[in-house]
Amino acid sequence: MENFLKKSKANLIQSYDSVCVILGNESCDLDSAVCALVFAFFLEHKKKFSSVHLPVLNIAKEDYCLKTEVVYFLKRFNISSDHLIFRDDICLDALKESGKLKLVLVDHNVLSNSDSNLDSSVVQIVDHHKQEHPFSEMVDMLIEPVGSCSTLVASLIFESAPEILDAVSASLLLGAIVVDVANFSATAKRATAKDEQIFRKLSQYVPNISKEILYKELQCAKEDVGNLKFEQLCQKDRKILEVGGIKLSICGFPFLCSTLLAKYPDITTKLQDFCNVSGYQGAVLMGISINHETDEVKRDLVIYSRLAWLKTRICREIEKGEPNLDLHAIKSNAEYVYYNQGNITATRKAVLPMLKVILSKPESSNNIFSHRGDRRTSVPNLHDESPPDGSSASNSGIDTPTNSCIDDDEEDRRSSPVAKLSEFNTGAVFANIESTKYVLFRRPGDELHAGERDPLTPENSFAESHFDQSYKKFVLNHMDSDAIEKKLRQENFFREADE
C-alpha cells in the first residue's frame, strides 16, 4: 500500500491519455479516506479503467490536520500526508476538459453542486447512502445500505482479487468498518449482517486483532480535538447541502452539542461568523456520545440560521419528518433551536436526505410565485430576515390594507417561516364560514339596503365586494340547493349573466 501511494503521487507530474480518479466524499472521514485508498489500489491492480488510478482525498491539504482519526490511523501504517493526493493537488476540471478523466465515487453517489460538471465522467459508484444518482447503463453502481462503505469495497475485492489483501489493507478496512458501525453496538443499530461477515473475513488477515481495542483507539483519536478552534471543529466532519440557493453546513461532532453550548456562551456569534465566511445560510450541528462501558448512545442536534423563516421552517419540517427523529426542544432563541434526539439510530446519513427534501420544497426556493395571484415576487436576498415570498418583516404585505389586523401581528409574522397570506386558502375559509351557517345569518326579510355594509365585513376593506361575490359563487358551486339559487336570483346576482 505504501509503495502504491508513493507511485500514485509521482504519477501526478506525468502525462497520460486517461486518468481514473477515485474520489471520496467531502467530509473525508475515516471510511471515505480508506475507501479511496484501498479501492484505488484494487482498481490499479485490475487496470480496470485506465493505465493509472489515483486515490484523491476530497479536501484541501491544509484541512487534513482536522481529520484527527484519519491522520492517526494512516500514520500507524507509515502513510504520511506526503504520500497522499489532496483535492488541491489535482485539477479535475482540466482533466475533464481534455477528455482524460474517468471518475469513481466512493462513500457518496452524487457530486456536490460545485462538481456537478464532472458527472459525465463518472464510470463507477460504490456507496452505502441513499441512492440519489440516476441509473445509467454507463455507470457501474454498487449502492447498498450497509453500515460502512468499506464493507462494500472489501466485498468487491473478495469477489475478484482477494490476493491483493494484506495486513495493512485489511487493517485499514477493519478500522473504517468498526468506527462506522460503532463497534457493532446493538443500541446504535448501524451494522448489518454483511458488515459482520466482511469484518470476520478481514480479521483473518490480522491475527489477534481486538475490535474493542481498535475501536477505542480510533474513537480517542477522533475525539482528540482539544487543540482545534471552533471553526475547525465545524469543519472537521462537515458536509455541505446546497438546494434552491440555500446553502447549509451539516457538521458532525464526536461529542454532544450540549458540550459546545456549554463551552461557547457566544455560540450564536461564532456560528454566524462561521456561516458568513463560507457563505452558508445556516448550519445543522449533530452530536453523538457513546458510553463504551454501558453501550449507551446519546444524540442531539442544533438547527441554526439567522434567517428566522429558514430556521423555523427547518425545525417545523424536521420535527415531523420521516424517519421520526423523536426530537425534544431543550433550548431555543431567535437564531437556533437545541434538540435532544430520541431516535439514536438516525445518523447523518438519514438526516441529510430529510434536509434536502425540506429545502427542495417551493417555499424554500428562490423561484417562488406568490399564492396571491399569478404575480411573480422579487427574488429575495437570502441574508434578509424576510421569508422569500415577497413580504417584508417591517411592512405590510402588498395586498394588506393599512390598519389591517395583520399589521398588529408583527411578532408572529417575524417568527413565521412563510408569510401567512401565502398559505391563504379561499375555499377553506368559505367552507369554514359555511359550517357556521353564515348563509342563514340573515333572517328572511333582513335584506341589505343599497349602500349598507354586511356586518361581518370591515368598512373600506378590499374584501368588501370581492369576498361577498366570491362567497356567493362558492355557495352556488358547493351547495346544490334550489332555495339558494332562488335567493340569489332575488338579489339580482345573475343580472349580468341574464343580460
Side-chain angles (χ1 to χ4, degrees):
M1 177 63 69
E2 183 180 359
N3 290 334
F4 162 70
L5 295 177
K6 288 180 179 179
K7 181 182 177 182
S8 297
K9 194 67 175 285
N11 284 335
L12 278 178
I13 61 174
Q14 299 184 38
S15 178
Y16 295 91
D17 292 335
S18 68
V19 175
C20 182
V21 169
I22 293 77
L23 187 69
N25 67 47
E26 291 178 309
S27 72
C28 194
D29 58 6
L30 188 61
D31 192 33
S32 179
V34 167
C35 284
L37 301 181
V38 177
F39 200 53
F41 182 46
F42 164 72
L43 293 178
E44 177 72 4
H45 173 79
K46 300 284 289 184
K47 297 295 182 184
K48 184 171 182 179
F49 296 112
S50 174
S51 57
V52 59
H53 297 77
L54 305 179
V56 175
L57 303 191
N58 203 359
I59 54 171
K61 186 174 183 178
E62 66 176 2
D63 292 333
Y64 182 58
C65 63
L66 307 179
K67 315 300 177 181
T68 52
E69 74 279 16
V70 180
V71 174
Y72 166 80
F73 202 43
L74 295 188
K75 274 188 176 180
R76 273 192 53 178
F77 303 102
N78 298 317
I79 302 173
S80 72
S81 60
D82 294 334
H83 302 152
L84 303 174
I85 302 173
F86 297 95
R87 185 59 191 269
D88 48 353
D89 289 328
I90 186 170
C91 184
L92 300 186
D93 288 327
L95 288 173
K96 170 72 165 51
E97 291 174 5
S98 64
K100 296 182 177 181
L101 179 64
K102 293 184 179 179
L103 193 59
V104 174
L105 306 183
V106 291
D107 204 23
H108 64 310
N109 64 81
V110 62
L111 290 161
S112 64
N113 284 11
S114 58
D115 285 337
S116 59
N117 62 305
L118 304 176
D119 188 66
S120 60
S121 297
V122 175
V123 294
Q124 186 171 12
I125 296 173
V126 181
D127 187 29
H128 65 136
H129 296 90
K130 178 182 178 181
Q131 181 173 342
E132 296 181 73
H133 195 286
F135 173 78
S136 171
E137 294 183 353
M138 306 299 293
V139 181
D140 181 4
M141 292 190 193
L142 174 57
I143 301 178
E144 188 176 334
V146 294
S148 173
C149 187
S150 291
T151 294
L152 300 179
V153 167
S155 68
L156 291 175
I157 295 175
F158 278 125
E159 284 177 9
S160 59
E163 67 275 6
I164 72 166
L165 286 171
D166 56 16
V168 173
S169 56
S171 294
L172 291 174
L173 292 167
L174 286 168
I177 293 172
V178 77
V179 167
D180 257 25
V181 302
N183 196 26
F184 299 90
S185 165
T187 306
K189 297 181 180 179
R190 294 193 204 174
T192 66
K194 188 166 188 174
D195 293 298
E196 294 176 353
Q197 176 192 13
I198 293 296
F199 191 90
R200 286 195 298 269
K201 292 181 70 173
L202 289 170
S203 297
Q204 298 173 9
Y205 293 83
V206 191
N208 303 319
I209 189 173
S210 166
K211 67 176 186 293
E212 286 74 22
I213 293 176
L214 179 61
Y215 179 66
K216 287 182 179 179
E217 205 174 309
L218 289 170
Q219 279 299 112
C220 286
K222 190 174 184 179
E223 295 169 9
D224 184 17
V225 295
N227 296 325
L228 300 183
K229 298 178 181 179
F230 179 82
E231 296 77 10
Q232 293 175 315
L233 286 173
C234 292
Q235 293 171 351
K236 175 175 166 54
D237 188 7
R238 171 189 59 180
K239 290 193 176 182
I240 301 169
L241 187 61
E242 188 170 359
V243 181
I246 303 297
K247 193 175 180 182
L248 289 183
S249 177
I250 296 84
C251 310
F253 301 97
F255 48 79
L256 293 176
C257 295
S258 57
T259 304
L260 281 178
L261 297 180
K263 184 175 181 179
Y264 299 103
D266 60 339
I267 192 169
T268 298
T269 301
K270 289 189 174 295
L271 282 171
Q272 181 174 331
D273 292 341
F274 170 69
C275 290
N276 286 344
V277 168
S278 300
Y280 304 132
Q281 280 73 51
V284 177
L285 315 182
M286 302 187 65
I288 183 172
S289 172
I290 302 176
N291 187 316
H292 306 305
E293 302 299 327
T294 64
D295 199 32
E296 181 185 18
V297 179
K298 293 181 180 180
R299 288 186 179 276
D300 61 2
L301 59 85
V302 171
I303 308 293
Y304 164 83
S305 177
R306 69 179 185 87
L307 306 178
W309 65 266
L310 178 59
K311 181 208 70 174
T312 307
R313 178 166 182 75
I314 294 175
C315 291
R316 183 184 64 194
E317 296 293 335
I318 204 168
E319 285 176 9
K320 63 182 182 182
E322 289 294 335
N324 180 10
L325 301 184
D326 190 17
L327 297 176
H328 305 275
I330 306 300
K331 181 179 180 181
S332 66
N333 60 28
E335 295 181 320
Y336 76 82
V337 179
Y338 166 59
Y339 293 98
N340 175 48
Q341 181 180 321
N343 181 359
I344 57 174
T345 65
T347 66
R348 185 170 59 182
K349 189 166 63 172
V351 174
L352 266 171
M354 294 175 64
L355 292 170
K356 191 166 187 178
V357 170
I358 292 171
L359 295 185
S360 297
K361 292 187 176 181
E363 291 170 298
S364 293
S365 170
N366 285 345
N367 300 319
I368 291 181
F369 289 86
S370 170
H371 295 280
R372 303 190 291 274
D374 292 331
R375 171 180 52 81
R376 183 188 292 273
T377 62
S378 59
V379 177
N381 182 341
L382 293 176
H383 294 287
D384 289 342
E385 292 291 342
S386 57
D389 70 336
S391 64
S392 168
S394 58
N395 299 294
S396 295
I398 191 169
D399 293 328
T400 307
T402 306
N403 298 324
S404 165
C405 62
I406 296 296
D407 288 335
D408 297 329
D409 199 14
E410 186 67 22
E411 186 62 29
D412 187 51
R413 290 203 312 121
R414 284 180 177 273
S415 63
S416 175
V418 178
K420 291 180 175 57
L421 283 178
S422 66
E423 297 180 358
F424 186 83
N425 186 323
T426 306
V429 173
F430 290 159
N432 183 53
I433 292 174
E434 190 58 41
S435 70
T436 63
K437 306 299 183 183
Y438 176 67
V439 75
L440 302 179
F441 182 81
R442 304 190 188 101
R443 295 185 299 275
D446 290 348
E447 305 295 334
L448 289 178
H449 301 293
E452 182 180 354
R453 288 189 301 105
D454 188 294
L456 296 184
T457 307
E459 188 173 8
N460 296 326
S461 168
F462 74 96
E464 189 169 347
S465 59
H466 295 82
F467 187 92
D468 286 346
Q469 292 176 16
S470 298
Y471 173 67
K472 290 174 183 177
K473 292 177 182 177
F474 173 84
V475 169
L476 186 63
N477 291 332
H478 288 74
M479 298 183 64
D480 187 14
S481 169
D482 293 337
I484 290 176
E485 182 176 352
K486 181 178 179 180
K487 179 73 172 176
L488 295 179
R489 288 190 179 280
Q490 289 174 354
E491 294 181 356
N492 294 322
F493 183 76
F494 302 102
R495 182 180 56 194
E496 294 179 2
D498 293 338
E499 293 176 356

